[in-house]
Amino acid sequence: MYKNVLQAIEGIEIYPLISFTIFFLFFLGLLVYVALMDKKYVSNMSSFACADEDQDQTTGGNRQ
């Protein structure tokens, strides 16, 4: 039933191409962003993830 409805629409074949293009360009842009990201910034941000856990262990604080 749905196949017949979609076949009746003029120009429907362009929508999958547009969707794929948007999907591809988004991930290509994300890849370029990550590749060009400042390595010092990434290193600094990665240390923040462990800093909170280390602080709780050294001070004896309880996490809720």
Side-chain angles (χ1 to χ4, degrees):
M1 177 180 161
Y2 294 111
K3 188 176 183 180
N4 294 337
V5 171
L6 292 177
Q7 286 178 348
I9 299 173
E10 297 273 336
I12 192 73
E13 64 275 355
I14 194 71
Y15 290 110
L17 294 174
I18 293 171
S19 299
F20 176 73
T21 303
I22 292 170
F23 177 81
F24 181 75
L25 290 176
F26 173 77
F27 282 104
L28 183 66
L30 192 62
L31 181 66
V32 168
Y33 174 74
V34 170
L36 298 177
M37 190 180 286
D38 185 28
K39 304 307 180 212
K40 290 180 184 178
Y41 175 76
V42 173
S43 178
N44 190 24
M45 287 295 120
S46 67
S47 68
F48 285 149
C50 298
D52 190 31
E53 292 175 7
D54 292 341
Q55 185 180 13
D56 284 345
Q57 291 175 356
T58 58
T59 60
N62 291 332
R63 296 182 100 185
Q64 294 182 6

